[in-house]
Structures are given as structure tokens and as C-alpha cells.
């Protein structure tokens, strides 16, 4: 009965979903009326903040009052926001909740404007005076909060100049918006053949599916068709990316940073050495990626591996039809090495309806973990009975338990965690699941499938995202030095970089040199390197948890929230991300699993 329901879930209406498979948003607000009352309360709180404008620096008492009023308004807003966006996501066809979601976006802008006075006024307080304020009893617990804020002082401009830059924010974001419009809407591709032999227009989604096809002709056709369109607009895409990079460099220089990279990583108080250690260590381990490509060449039986051959699975799909109920048991067992206390929180998530499980008409696609300090750390799924969805469940559970432990061990002002650390908890859970599946299954085909999935994931996250990071660093340096970032200049370098990463067994397809033109992450301002550091740290942490006494250290990291700098927090888990050792340990795991896959596929 349960299994049949899951299979049919995507056709049903929201009202037909069994309650036990939905999240319980009444734990946020008992009714829509309660939400609307809270919404008005936030509006009122935002208006009342004006009484503190111009008074923040007058005394320790005034500083404390303004800070607590600011935090209280933000805390109340978070509950309103979570309720509105999640009740909308569960059925985006509902006009009432679409209105709620839109209204909350407007409320966010209103609250942001109302709180904008606080940071500039704090930064205007003389250092000696502020130190005296922070030594008073009720402000001492906010010391790190103010340390983070004060780190921006050398890079904060006079109020009138800050106002000018704020007013130009749309201008600085114009290139990214133009890229988005081109890439999501205006660019069109030719027609391709599907697995069924139909001729249909190519889309980015279909492209990803066709690259995994066992039919090489289909893969090549999709690759050529897609890149023909990007190459046809290469100068336009070069113009948008070049302008965006110039904007990063301009803002960094204006705010007295040495480089755009320094400006970007300073937001999380990450030293640039972390970025440099990543790229250096990954480059040193590229022979492992070359070896993986060589295995691909052997298994596919081709003379050369082309770029369109890099994503087809080396192992046939396995029959692993798993219900959501069975997946819960797998997740509980896989996470058992983290201890009974961790597993109890996961069980609580299952029992207390933190999770919205199945597809229904109008439900947002994909999956996420979301919540606020005073809500459950909810999870949205669109469940299908396969192994990928088990990984999705354990991944999002990693985020949610991280949030739960942070909020139960930190006060509100430290009750979140930086983006630099966010993916580590979720990916560590994936690593524990991979180990559990390998430990509990001896079937060679199943093991090969899991190993192939792991190695492809590592390749796409650690190697590929580092490749992107190196390209991002290069284009910013070239632009800062006065080099025009033309399509030819970027393509020449990207083609060489791609060949360096994938090695001698990859055929140098001319089209892949233009891949930079279709990567949205190059507009994210030194964001992608965090995917690679996070994956490597998670691989190392999972290995420590399974082969040492790392579970308690790991949970201490999950409990720390924003109470310290990111590198100090992850060091509590036993990973020093300022040094290369965690990366070397991750590559050792990769090599061990690559060796096993080579052995299995040679039989």
C-alpha cells in the first residue's frame, strides 16, 4: 500500500497527501491567522527600530538596547519567513500562499532598511569606547559577534559613499542578470534524438540526461548541439563575464582589499591560504583523476575519451527499489557511528513530521533543509524509490541535525552557521552512507555501482570545482592586470586548464574550451572553492568517525554555530583546513575506492 502510494504521488493533489507524510507547519503558527498577526508584529517592530537611530554609540545601555531590539525583530521575522515560503513550496498553485510568499519578500526589504543603521553606527564608535562597552556584563556574550562586525571596519567607507555603492547594487548585478536571462530564457538549442528515437528540442535538463546515455552517438549529438549555441554567442557571454569580474575588482579596490578573492573570502573570515592550499594540493593529486579517466577509457572501449564521455556511468543501473519507510531504517543504521544521541535526533525528525516526503501537484521540485531558530529544521523531499533519494534524505538530514544541535546549544545571535561550513555536515552523512552500503553489501555489481557513484561525485565536486576556482582566480587576475577578457583569451586558457585536469586520455575537444560561457558559478564571486573544501573535509571526517574516535569531536563542531570563526569551529572536529593534511586524507580515500573499482571492473 505504502509503496504503491509513493509511485503514484506525483499525480495527487496536496489535499490527498496523508498527514504523516507532510511536515507539521502548525508547530510554527497554529493557523494562518496567527501567521498574519505575527507578520503585522514584525512590521511594527521594524518601525519601532527608528527610535534607536543616532543613539547606538551613546552608552553601553543604548548599544545593548539597539542590538537586542534588532535581533528580536530579525528573530520574529525568521519564523514568518519560514512559514510563508514553506507553505507556498508545498503547493505553488495556491494563490493565498503565493501572496504570503510575496508579502514576506517585501517585509524582508522593509526590515533590512529598518536595521541598516546599526552596523555603521557601531563602526563609528571609537575602538577604546566600544571595548569598554563590551566589557559590561550584559554585552560580554556578544564579543565574537562584534569581533566579526569590526573586522569589516577597515573596509567600510564613509556613510555617503556606502549609500552610493548601495544605490548602485543593481548596476553591479546587471551582468549576472543578463547572463541568467540569456542562459535560462533566450538561448535556444537545436534538436536532438532521445533514447526513444524521437527528435525533440534540446534543453539543459535533457542535455544532462543524454550525457549519461549508453549510446555514444546521442551523447556526442547533445554535446555538439549544446555548444554550437554557446559558441555562437561567445562574445556576448564574454562581455557579461568580463563586466562582472571588473565589478568585483572595482569593489575590492574601493573597499581597500588587495584583491577580489581577498574581499570574497573575508566574509567568512577565511584566510586566502585555504584557497591556495586547495588548488596546490588538488593539482598535486591530478594523476588520480587521470587514472580515473584512463579507467573510463578502458571500460568504454574507446580510442579516446571525449568530453561527452565523462558522465556516462561505468556500471549499469542496479535494481535498488527502496521505499521511504525502508530508507529511514537505512539512514538510521548508516548514521549509528555518530552515537545514540545523534540517531535520536534523526528519529525525532521522522516521528515529529519535520519532513514533507512525497510529490504532489504544484509542489516545489528538488530537496532542501530549511528552518529558523524557533522552528523545526524542516526538510522538503520529492521522494522516488531509488538509491539517489536515500542519499538526498541523508544529505538533508545532515543539514537539519546541524541546525538542531546549533540551536539547542547556542543563543540566537550564534544560532546559525557560515556557508563555508554548511555543506560539510550534509556531505559527511553521505560519506557514512557510502561506507554503510559497502560494509553491508558483498555483491560485486552493487559495490561497483556505489563506488562509481562516489568517485563521480568526488570528481565533480573536488576536482571540477577546483578547476572552476582556478579559472575564476585567473580571470580576476588578468582583468586586474589590464588584460581584456575576450572570448578567445578565456577559451584558450580554459581549454588548457581542462586538459591539465583530465589528462592525456581526454581528447581535446575544441568546444569544451567554451565551457566557461555556460557556468553560472563564475558570477558567484569565489563561491565554488567551498564546494571542494567542504567535500574533502567531509570525506576526511567520515573516515575519522569510522576509523577513530571522531564522533564526539564532530558533534562539538555541529553544536558550535557561529560562536567562533569557521576555521576554529571545524578544527574542533579534528580538521585543520589551513593545512593540506585533510585534503591528502580525502585523496587517500578516493584512491582506495578507485583501486577497488579498478579491480571489480577488471573481472
Amino acid at each position: 500500500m505504502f509503496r504503491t502510494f509513493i509511485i503514484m504521488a506525483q499525480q495527487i493533489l496536496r489535499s490527498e497527501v496523508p498527514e504523516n507524510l507532510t511536515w507539521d507547519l502548525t508547530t510554527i503558527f497554529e493557523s494562518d491567522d496567527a501567521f498574519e498577526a505575527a507578520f503585522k508584529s514584525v512590521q511594527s517592530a521594524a518601525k519601532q527600530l527608528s527610535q534607536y537611530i543616532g543613539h547606538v554609540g551613546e552608552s553601553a545601555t543604548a548599544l545593548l538596547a539597539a542590538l537586542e531590539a534588532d535581533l528580536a525583530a530579525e528573530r520574529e521575522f525568521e519564523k514568518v519567513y519560514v512559514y510563508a515560503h514553506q507553505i507556498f513550496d508545498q503547493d505553488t498553485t495556491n494563490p493565498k500562499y503565493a501572496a504570503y510568499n510575496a508579502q514576506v519578500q517585501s517585509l524582508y526589504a522593509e526590515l533590512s532598511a529598518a536595521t541598516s543603521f546599526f552596523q555603521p553606527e557601531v563602526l563609528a564608535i571609537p575602538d577604546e569606547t566600544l571595548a569598554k562597552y563590551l566589557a559590561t556584563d550584559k554585552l560580554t556574550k556578544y564579543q565574537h559577534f562584534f569581533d566579526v562586525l569590526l573586522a569589516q571596519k577597515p573596509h567600510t567607507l564613509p556613510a555617503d559613499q556606502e549609500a552610493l555603492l548601495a544605490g548602485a547594487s543593481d548596476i553591479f548585478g546587471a551582468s549576472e542578470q543578463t547572463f541568467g536571462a540569456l542562459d535560462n530564457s533566450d538561448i535556444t538549442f537545436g534538436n536532438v534524438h532521445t533514447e526513444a528515437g524521437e527528435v525533440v528540442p534540446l534543453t539543459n535538463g535533457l542535455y544532462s540526461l543524454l550525457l549519461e546515455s549508453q549510446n555514444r552517438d546521442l551523447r556526442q549529438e547533445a554535446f555538439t548541439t549544446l555548444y554550437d549555441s554557446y559558441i555562437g554567442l561567445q562574445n556576448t557571454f564574454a562581455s557579461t563575464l568580463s563586466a562582472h569580474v571588473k565589478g568585483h575588482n572595482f569593489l575590492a579596490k574601493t573597499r581597500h582589499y588587495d584583491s577580489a578573492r581577498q574581499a570574497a573570502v573575508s566574509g567568512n573570515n577565511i584566510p586566502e591560504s585555504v584557497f591556495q592550499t586547495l588548488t596546490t594540493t588538488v593539482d598535486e593529486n591530478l594523476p588520480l583523476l587521470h587514472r580515473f579517466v584512463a579507467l573510463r577509457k578502458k571500460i568504454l572501449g574507446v580510442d579516446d575519451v571525449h568530453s561527452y564521455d565523462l558522465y556516462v556511468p561505468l556500471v549499469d543501473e542496479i535494481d535498488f527499489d527502496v521505499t521511504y519507510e525502508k530508507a529511514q531504517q537505512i539512514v538510521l543504521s548508516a548514521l549509528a557511528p555518530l552515537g545514540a544521541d545523534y540517531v535520536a535526533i534523526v528519529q525525532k525528525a521522522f516521528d515529529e513530521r519535520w519532513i514533507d516526503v512525497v510529490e504532489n501537484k504544484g509542489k516545489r521540485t528538488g530537496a532542501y533543509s530549511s528552518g529558523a531558530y524557533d522552528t523545526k529544521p524542516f526538510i522538503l523531499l520529492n521522494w522516488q524509490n531509488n538509491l539517489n533519494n536515500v542519499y538526498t534524505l541523508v544529505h538533508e538530514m545532515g543539514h537539519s541535525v546541524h541546525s538542531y544541535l546549533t540551536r539547542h546549544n547556542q543563543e540566537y545571535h550564534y544560532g546559525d552557521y557560515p556557508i563555508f561550513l554548511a555543506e560539510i555536515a550534509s556531505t559527511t552523512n553521505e560519506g557514512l552512507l557510502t561506507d554503510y552500503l559497502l560494509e553491508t553489501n558483498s555483491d560485486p555489481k552493487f559495490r561497483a555501482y556505489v563506488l562509481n557513484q562516489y568517485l563521480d561525485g568526488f570528481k565533480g565536486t573536488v576536482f571540477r570545482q577546483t578547476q572552476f576556482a582556478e579559472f575564476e582566480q585567473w580571470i580576476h587576475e588578468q582583468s586586474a592586470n589590464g588584460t581584456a577578457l575576450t572570448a578567445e583569451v578565456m577559451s584558450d586558457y580554459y581549454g588548457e586548464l581542462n586538459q591539465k585536469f583530465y589528462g592525456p586520455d581526454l581528447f581535446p575537444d575544441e568546444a569544451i574550451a567554451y565551457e566557461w560561457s555556460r557556468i553560472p558559478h563564475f558570477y558567484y564571486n569565489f563561491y565554488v572553492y567551498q564546494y571542494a573544501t567542504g567535500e574533502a573535509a567531509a570525506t576526511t571526517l567520515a573516515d575519522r568517525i569510522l576509523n577513530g574516535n571522531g564522533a564526539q569531536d564532530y558533534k562539538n563542531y555541529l553544536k558550535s554555530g557561529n560562536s567562533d570563526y569557521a576555521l576554529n569551529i571545524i578544527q574542533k572536529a579534528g580538521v585543520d583546513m589551513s593545512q593540506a593534511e585533510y585534503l591528502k586524507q580525502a585523496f587517500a580515500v578516493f584512491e582506495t575506492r578507485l583501486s577497488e573499482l579498478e579491480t571489480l571492473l577488471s573481472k
Side-chain angles (χ1 to χ4, degrees):
M1 188 91 139
F2 182 88
R3 179 174 175 179
T4 303
F5 170 77
I6 291 292
I7 293 172
M8 297 299 293
Q10 65 188 92
Q11 277 80 41
I12 66 174
L13 299 175
R14 180 67 188 181
S15 59
E16 298 172 318
V17 180
E19 184 180 80
N20 67 304
L21 296 176
T22 64
W23 50 26
D24 184 8
L25 299 185
T26 64
T27 58
I28 309 176
F29 296 112
E30 292 185 359
S31 65
D32 290 348
D33 288 343
F35 160 80
E36 291 173 6
F39 186 97
K40 292 176 181 177
S41 178
V42 175
Q43 286 182 311
S44 176
K47 291 183 175 68
Q48 291 173 18
L49 288 172
S50 62
Q51 65 184 292
Y52 301 102
I53 297 175
H55 302 294
V56 173
E58 290 179 350
S59 66
T61 301
L63 175 60
L64 179 64
L67 173 61
E68 291 185 338
D70 184 321
L71 293 176
E74 292 179 10
R75 184 170 176 174
E76 192 171 8
F77 168 76
E78 286 182 359
K79 286 182 63 179
V80 169
Y81 172 81
V82 169
Y83 184 85
H85 97 80
Q86 291 192 197
I87 205 166
F88 171 66
D89 284 352
Q90 70 187 29
D91 183 2
T92 59
T93 65
N94 188 312
K96 177 180 180 180
Y97 298 135
Y100 277 7
N101 194 52
Q103 289 162 7
V104 163
Q105 301 303 323
S106 297
L107 181 60
Y108 174 74
E110 184 180 333
L111 183 61
S112 296
T115 59
S116 63
F117 72 93
F118 183 77
Q119 179 170 331
E121 290 198 29
V122 170
L123 296 179
I125 301 172
D127 291 347
E128 186 176 334
T129 302
L130 182 59
K132 290 179 180 178
Y133 291 171
L134 297 181
T136 60
D137 289 343
K138 292 185 178 180
L139 279 168
T140 54
K141 67 180 182 180
Y142 295 106
Q143 181 66 56
H144 180 67
F145 176 92
F146 281 101
D147 286 345
V148 172
L149 193 155
L150 290 171
Q152 299 303 311
K153 191 169 187 176
H155 309 290
T156 301
L157 305 177
D160 58 339
Q161 295 179 34
E162 287 289 348
L164 282 173
L165 289 180
S169 60
D170 286 347
I171 298 172
F172 288 114
S175 293
E176 182 180 1
Q177 291 177 352
T178 301
F179 169 82
L182 280 168
D183 197 51
N184 296 323
S185 303
D186 292 349
I187 193 169
T188 56
F189 310 114
N191 293 329
V192 294
H193 292 83
T194 67
E195 294 277 4
E198 299 174 298
V199 178
V200 298
L202 182 65
T203 64
N204 275 296
L206 179 58
Y207 174 73
S208 297
L209 292 175
L210 289 174
L211 280 196
E212 296 182 5
S213 171
Q214 294 294 330
N215 186 323
R216 199 182 195 202
D217 290 338
L218 295 185
R219 300 199 303 268
Q220 181 178 7
E221 180 185 48
F223 178 81
T224 302
T225 302
L226 184 97
Y227 276 98
D228 280 350
S229 296
Y230 282 101
I231 292 171
L233 290 171
Q234 60 179 285
N235 295 320
T236 302
F237 282 116
S239 177
T240 60
L241 184 53
S242 174
H244 201 67
V245 169
K246 287 178 180 178
H248 289 166
N249 285 339
F250 171 80
L251 288 172
K253 185 176 181 180
T254 301
R255 293 192 178 280
H256 313 299
Y257 288 102
D258 295 336
S259 67
R261 185 179 75 182
Q262 185 188 64
V265 301
S266 69
N268 285 323
N269 293 282
I270 305 299
E272 288 185 274
S273 60
V274 171
F275 184 103
Q276 194 59 52
T277 298
L278 170 72
T279 56
T280 300
T281 310
V282 169
D283 283 358
E284 290 170 352
N285 285 274
L286 286 178
L288 287 174
L289 180 55
H290 301 170
R291 191 170 135 193
F292 192 30
V293 174
L295 176 62
R296 180 170 292 276
K297 178 181 178 179
K298 176 183 176 181
I299 299 305
L300 294 180
V302 295
D303 293 330
D304 292 297
V305 176
H306 286 260
S307 294
Y308 49 79
D309 295 323
L310 289 174
Y311 298 95
V312 57
L314 299 181
V315 181
D316 292 340
E317 192 74 28
I318 58 172
D319 183 15
F320 196 80
D321 187 15
V322 55
T323 65
Y324 175 66
E325 186 176 35
K326 174 62 176 174
Q328 291 178 313
Q329 298 308 311
I330 292 174
V331 167
L332 290 167
S333 298
L335 300 180
L338 288 170
D341 53 346
Y342 189 101
V343 171
I345 298 170
V346 177
Q347 188 66 59
K348 184 188 289 283
F350 295 145
D351 294 341
E352 296 183 358
R353 293 175 51 207
W354 295 6
I355 307 171
D356 205 78
V357 182
V358 299
E359 288 184 298
N360 57 256
K361 185 176 180 181
K363 185 177 179 180
R364 172 177 166 162
T365 59
Y368 64 67
S369 169
S370 179
Y373 190 82
D374 295 308
T375 76
K376 309 292 186 185
F378 295 103
I379 295 173
L380 179 138
L381 300 175
N382 282 277
W383 183 262
Q384 299 295 325
N385 292 342
N386 58 45
L387 185 57
N388 283 341
N389 276 254
V390 182
Y391 271 95
T392 299
L393 174 59
V394 83
H395 178 103
E396 302 304 341
M397 190 63 72
H399 286 308
S400 287
V401 177
H402 189 184
S403 298
Y404 181 91
L405 287 172
T406 288
R407 293 164 190 166
H408 281 75
N409 288 277
Q410 299 295 332
E411 293 188 67
Y412 174 73
H413 55 287
Y414 297 141
D416 199 358
Y417 39 82
I419 190 66
F420 184 79
L421 301 179
E423 291 300 323
I424 295 176
S426 56
T427 314
T428 299
N429 273 13
E430 289 190 48
L432 295 173
L433 175 59
T434 296
D435 184 84
Y436 172 77
L437 293 172
L438 292 173
E439 286 294 317
T440 56
N441 288 275
S442 58
D443 177 60
K445 182 178 179 181
F446 182 89
R447 293 182 66 82
Y449 180 85
V450 172
L451 289 166
N452 185 193
Q453 292 281 93
Y454 165 79
L455 294 168
D456 274 338
F458 194 100
K459 175 198 74 176
T461 307
V462 177
F463 286 114
R464 182 169 167 81
Q465 299 304 323
T466 302
Q467 176 187 347
F468 287 171
E470 289 191 25
F471 179 74
E472 189 175 19
Q473 172 67 10
W474 185 84
I475 57 178
H476 280 83
E477 288 177 343
Q478 295 301 305
S479 182
N481 292 333
T483 300
L485 294 179
T486 64
E488 182 180 9
V489 166
M490 289 193 285
S491 298
D492 285 347
Y493 178 76
Y494 193 89
E496 294 173 3
L497 183 65
N498 195 70
Q499 203 65 40
K500 180 186 87 169
F501 265 75
Y502 289 96
D505 286 308
L506 180 72
F507 184 85
D509 294 297
E510 183 178 344
I512 199 62
Y514 296 88
E515 187 176 36
W516 58 265
S517 65
R518 58 180 295 263
I519 305 299
H521 298 77
F522 293 146
Y523 295 83
Y524 294 0
N525 195 13
F526 291 95
Y527 184 87
V528 292
Y529 85 96
Q530 298 172 104
Y531 290 125
T533 56
E535 173 79 20
T539 299
T540 298
L541 285 168
D543 193 51
R544 288 188 79 249
I545 291 164
L546 292 163
N547 298 302
N549 299 312
Q552 190 56 54
D553 290 342
Y554 177 74
K555 286 179 285 191
N556 289 338
Y557 136 64
L558 297 181
K559 295 174 182 178
S560 297
N562 257 325
S563 62
D564 202 346
Y565 295 113
L567 288 193
N568 294 340
I569 288 173
I570 195 62
Q571 197 158 10
K572 293 179 181 178
V575 173
D576 184 354
M577 297 182 74
S578 68
Q579 304 297 319
E581 191 56 39
Y582 81 101
L583 292 160
K584 293 176 182 178
Q585 190 172 346
F587 284 119
V589 174
F590 179 88
E591 183 171 19
T592 298
R593 290 177 173 171
L594 174 59
S595 296
E596 182 179 355
L597 183 62
E598 288 170 334
T599 301
L600 288 170
L601 294 184
S602 68
K603 295 178 179 179

